[in-house]
Amino acid sequence: MNIDKIRNFCIIAHIDHGKSTLADRMLEMTGTVEKREMKSQLLDSMELEREKGITIKLTPAHMQYKGYILNLIDTPGHVDFSYEVSRSLQAVEGAILVVDATQGIQAQTLANVYLALEQDLKIIPVINKIDLPASDVPRVSAEIINLLGCDESEIIKVSAKTGENVDKVLDAIIERVPAPTKSESNELKALIFDSYFDDYRGVVLYVRIFEGNLPKNSNIRMMATGSNDIALEVGVLNPKMNPRSELTTGEIGYIVTNLKATREAKVGDTVTLAKAPAKEALPGYKNVRPFVYAGFFPVSNDQYKDLKEALEKLALSDSALQFEPENSPVLGFGLRIGFLGLLHMDIIRERLEREFKLDLIVTNPSTDYHVTLTDGEELDIRSASDLPDVSRVAEIREPWAKGEIITPKEYIGAILELIVSKRGIQNNISYIDTRALISFDAPMANLLTDFYDQLKSATSGYASFNYELGGYRAEDLVRIDFLVAGERIDALSVMAHRSEADGIGRTVTKKLKEVIPRQNFEVALQAAIGARIISRETLGAYRKDVTVKIHTGDRDRKAKLMEKQKRGKARLKRFGKVDIPSDAFTVMLKRD
């Protein structure tokens, strides 16, 4: 194939701005997919993706149009998957920036534009949904010109739903996106920008060939993980697998391997030939580490084995998913799982419940903390219950996030209040037409629970939010334990800043009082830091009318029976056990 006739591009956008619909129209117009096989969100193969209207797994597609080969990569739009987006941007020469004509530029749009500019890509701005009555094309055009510094004539106004002007986007890709550069070297260098596990064929890699050629049945090596394998089949996707005898420089395609898990061929790794390996790998690879952790416990302990097997299957396709066994005196056996973010956690939970029919209790998500002990030892703890004795701890560092919020100007005050309430530090406010861009730093733990919900409430749903991990900072952190009837419940323990501890203690004990059912004896619900109790609520006992069997009005007999009941309750209070319902373990997800 003539390399000058190849165009590699991807579509970047905020969630729900219509990039999957635009990809559908392109596949239709180029005749890649026949009309009878066409369905909406064709590249979103997962049921969850179609239901939520978001792209979770990125998908490539090979199209032919006017004698050119167009290789499209449909990328995820959510911040949790920004590393995958950055690798797919490295695999292409151009990006279509899709902006909704009714909403304008949002936070994730900005984040993706910065990623594309870092890779030095040619950006083609597209305004979508111009057919909607609420669309405001002049305002959105002004925002894009302000952001990219382009001419208005470069912006293409389309309706992906009706197909209006989509052909102009295809023409712009041919005219504006540069062809892949020819390579002088014959060493094979191919970038893995995605991988997944196929039950019948093993791990399938999506790659972009930067240098050299990859023939079928070659012995290949992954340079970062060091694993060797055979390219059993190579080819292109349109969007079904179309086998070829080889993949050449500049092409985007797939490799079917014998590998048993995606951990052996991670996103961002470089594929080379085992017999003649490349001297150095392609830049940009990093080992993605989860920073949100939550305990997953089956409602019935009989399902623990099923939960472990289900997670092992999901982890075959998701190299970022990490888990380890966890045992709780109250919840029994479960797993502590690491995620890339809250959306990633939500997707895994839904998949476990739907695809594997599991009933789960999910504990409050937390981040990891770096702990330095007095003897100089460094620990990385993922749960508050793992924190060593306070007398041995010299310093605790928590992760901080760099956040960006785009909002209409009238909500700036409410948002700054919200940031301060989360211990955040506002860095800068700049203006994009009628809206403001607020950048700030805040502790990751405070953004995990209900920050996004509170942001939506404070701005009537008009603000959009994007964040990235910004390093670890030493803070005055304490572990808050919760006691039910004097017994500490490890699964409820949380890490918090000392200044926020009293408020969290009071809020959670009040919530627990609503959630835990009343017993035949009085139950104390307490929050404590070490041995110091910081808040208490009392769950009153049921009062059984023991005098109902007395038919006379004899006060002495009544008093005698009441005294006997009082002694029974005191004994129950010493030996009684409280059954804690699963709702109690999610009280911190929605503090207010």
Side-chain angles (χ1 to χ4, degrees):
M1 179 68 208
N2 182 1
I3 199 168
D4 296 329
K5 293 283 185 182
I6 297 175
R7 298 289 183 270
N8 297 322
F9 70 99
C10 65
I11 305 178
I12 54 175
H14 190 78
I15 283 183
D16 203 28
H17 279 206
K19 64 184 160 49
S20 293
T21 314
L22 181 61
D24 289 349
R25 292 295 81 74
M26 287 179 170
L27 291 169
E28 209 174 75
M29 285 188 172
T30 55
T32 307
V33 179
E34 291 182 30
K35 273 262 197 302
R36 61 190 168 82
E37 292 179 356
M38 198 65 210
K39 58 183 179 182
S40 62
Q41 288 173 261
L42 183 79
L43 295 180
D44 293 344
S45 53
M46 231 186 279
E47 182 193 340
L48 259 176
E49 292 182 306
R50 308 176 69 75
E51 192 179 293
K52 290 178 177 277
I54 58 174
T55 301
I56 297 165
K57 283 296 278 180
L58 56 82
T59 319
H62 173 92
M63 302 178 285
Q64 294 191 353
Y65 182 70
K66 294 186 177 177
Y68 285 81
I69 283 179
L70 309 181
N71 289 314
L72 152 71
I73 300 176
D74 184 20
T75 57
H78 197 274
V79 58
D80 286 5
F81 309 110
S82 57
Y83 175 64
E84 280 97 323
V85 176
S86 76
R87 294 308 85 214
S88 55
L89 291 175
Q90 194 187 336
V92 295
E93 281 77 36
I96 296 173
L97 173 68
V98 179
V99 182
D100 189 322
T102 60
Q103 295 181 27
I105 287 172
Q106 301 291 304
Q108 194 59 41
T109 318
L110 275 184
N112 285 334
V113 166
Y114 297 151
L115 285 174
L117 292 173
E118 270 176 38
Q119 302 290 355
D120 205 18
L121 301 188
K122 176 64 185 172
I123 298 174
I124 300 172
V126 170
I127 296 176
N128 189 23
K129 306 190 187 181
I130 58 169
D131 56 314
L132 295 182
S135 67
D136 188 350
V137 176
R139 176 179 67 83
V140 177
S141 297
E143 286 180 9
I144 292 173
I145 291 164
N146 193 13
L147 176 67
L148 298 178
C150 59
D151 292 331
E152 189 161 0
S153 58
E154 293 177 44
I155 302 171
I156 306 167
K157 289 103 177 168
V158 307
S159 166
K161 190 176 174 184
T162 63
E164 184 185 343
N165 289 341
V166 173
D167 54 333
K168 290 184 180 174
V169 179
L170 291 166
D171 292 334
I173 292 162
I174 292 170
E175 290 164 19
R176 300 190 210 170
V177 175
T181 50
K182 292 186 177 75
S183 161
E184 300 300 321
S185 167
N186 288 326
E187 290 178 346
L188 174 67
K189 279 189 190 176
L191 173 77
I192 302 174
F193 61 85
D194 199 18
S195 58
Y196 74 93
F197 181 78
D198 186 299
D199 288 341
Y200 304 103
R201 312 187 75 177
V203 174
V204 178
L205 312 177
Y206 291 156
V207 296
R208 153 74 195 269
I209 311 287
F210 277 94
E211 294 179 13
N213 296 341
L214 175 61
K216 183 180 171 180
N217 292 328
S218 305
N219 287 318
I220 55 172
R221 179 177 298 162
M222 318 310 148
M223 294 183 77
T225 60
S227 39
N228 292 321
D229 206 68
I230 300 170
L232 298 174
E233 181 181 302
V234 298
V236 295
L237 293 118
N238 48 1
K240 291 178 182 170
M241 287 183 169
N242 185 0
R244 294 265 193 86
S245 59
E246 68 170 1
L247 288 175
T248 58
T249 306
E251 286 194 302
I252 286 176
Y254 69 89
I255 307 172
V256 177
T257 70
N258 249 335
L259 298 171
K260 297 292 180 281
T262 53
R263 285 192 200 91
E264 298 174 77
K266 295 186 174 180
V267 172
D269 203 346
T270 305
V271 178
T272 188
L273 292 173
K275 288 178 182 171
K279 292 180 181 67
E280 54 185 50
L282 294 164
Y285 170 78
K286 65 176 182 183
N287 199 4
V288 184
R289 283 181 62 245
F291 56 85
V292 175
Y293 295 88
F296 277 46
F297 295 86
V299 169
S300 159
N301 258 341
D302 302 344
Q303 286 192 321
Y304 172 70
K305 192 172 173 226
D306 298 340
L307 170 63
K308 197 172 180 190
E309 284 173 4
L311 263 171
E312 280 166 357
K313 281 181 184 172
L314 290 183
L316 291 175
S317 278
D318 191 343
S319 58
L321 199 63
Q322 295 180 10
F323 58 91
E324 56 190 32
E326 185 176 36
N327 186 14
S328 158
V330 179
L331 296 171
F333 289 100
L335 295 165
R336 188 148 198 88
I337 312 175
F339 305 95
L340 297 173
L342 285 182
L343 178 76
H344 191 207
M345 177 178 121
D346 204 32
I347 288 159
I348 297 295
R349 182 184 56 77
E350 283 207 36
R351 288 189 69 185
L352 288 170
E353 287 176 351
R354 284 186 193 193
E355 295 172 27
F356 300 96
K357 307 289 186 289
L358 295 169
D359 289 329
L360 299 171
I361 297 168
V362 180
T363 62
N364 304 304
S366 64
T367 64
D368 60 336
Y369 295 87
H370 292 173
V371 179
T372 306
L373 301 181
T374 46
D375 60 4
E377 190 188 341
E378 296 276 340
L379 295 178
D380 187 7
I381 64 161
R382 299 171 180 184
S383 166
S385 55
D386 296 338
L387 187 72
D389 187 79
V390 184
S391 60
R392 294 177 55 213
V393 175
E395 183 183 75
I396 306 174
R397 295 183 300 285
E398 65 175 341
W400 275 57
K402 292 179 177 177
E404 282 183 343
I405 295 171
I406 292 185
T407 174
K409 289 176 184 174
E410 59 267 29
Y411 299 116
I412 291 175
I415 288 173
L416 294 181
E417 252 178 66
L418 177 63
I419 290 169
V420 170
S421 75
K422 299 291 181 187
R423 269 197 304 130
I425 302 162
Q426 177 245 320
N427 295 330
N428 186 33
I429 300 179
S430 52
Y431 294 91
I432 310 168
D433 198 32
T434 59
R435 290 178 303 158
L437 168 63
I438 302 169
S439 58
F440 66 97
D441 293 343
M444 181 60 82
N446 290 8
L447 303 184
L448 281 183
T449 43
D450 47 7
F451 178 77
Y452 193 61
D453 293 345
Q454 290 178 342
L455 176 66
K456 288 290 180 193
S457 308
T459 60
S460 309
Y462 284 112
S464 63
F465 167 56
N466 174 58
Y467 67 89
E468 62 180 41
L469 200 58
Y472 287 75
R473 300 187 189 185
E475 297 286 345
D476 184 13
L477 300 170
V478 291
R479 183 177 83 187
I480 308 174
D481 293 317
F482 293 94
L483 295 87
V484 176
E487 189 179 345
R488 193 176 87 182
I489 311 298
D490 276 346
L492 287 172
S493 298
V494 291
M495 298 290 293
H497 194 269
R498 196 179 294 277
S499 63
E500 298 170 330
D502 287 7
I504 291 171
R506 278 195 297 272
T507 308
V508 174
T509 46
K510 275 181 188 156
K511 285 270 176 155
L512 289 173
K513 188 178 178 181
E514 292 166 20
V515 172
I516 295 175
R518 287 171 71 190
Q519 311 292 315
N520 284 326
F521 55 95
E522 192 180 86
V523 176
L525 306 172
Q526 297 164 307
I529 298 173
R532 185 170 70 90
I533 303 296
I534 55 172
S535 78
R536 171 181 170 134
E537 291 286 333
T538 305
L539 197 61
Y542 274 131
R543 184 180 176 277
K544 186 180 175 188
D545 192 356
V546 287
T547 60
V548 74
K549 56 190 173 189
I550 303 177
H551 300 294
T552 65
D554 187 342
R555 283 189 63 84
D556 288 346
R557 284 189 67 193
K558 280 184 179 176
K560 202 172 176 183
L561 281 169
M562 297 290 260
E563 188 59 38
K564 187 179 176 184
Q565 183 189 35
K566 189 177 175 184
R567 285 199 303 274
K569 283 188 184 231
R571 186 171 179 281
L572 257 180
K573 194 172 178 181
R574 285 207 311 276
F575 301 111
K577 287 282 179 192
V578 182
D579 248 0
I580 299 174
S582 59
D583 301 5
F585 297 97
T586 55
V587 291
M588 248 117 27
L589 290 174
K590 298 278 177 228
R591 281 189 196 148
D592 52 358

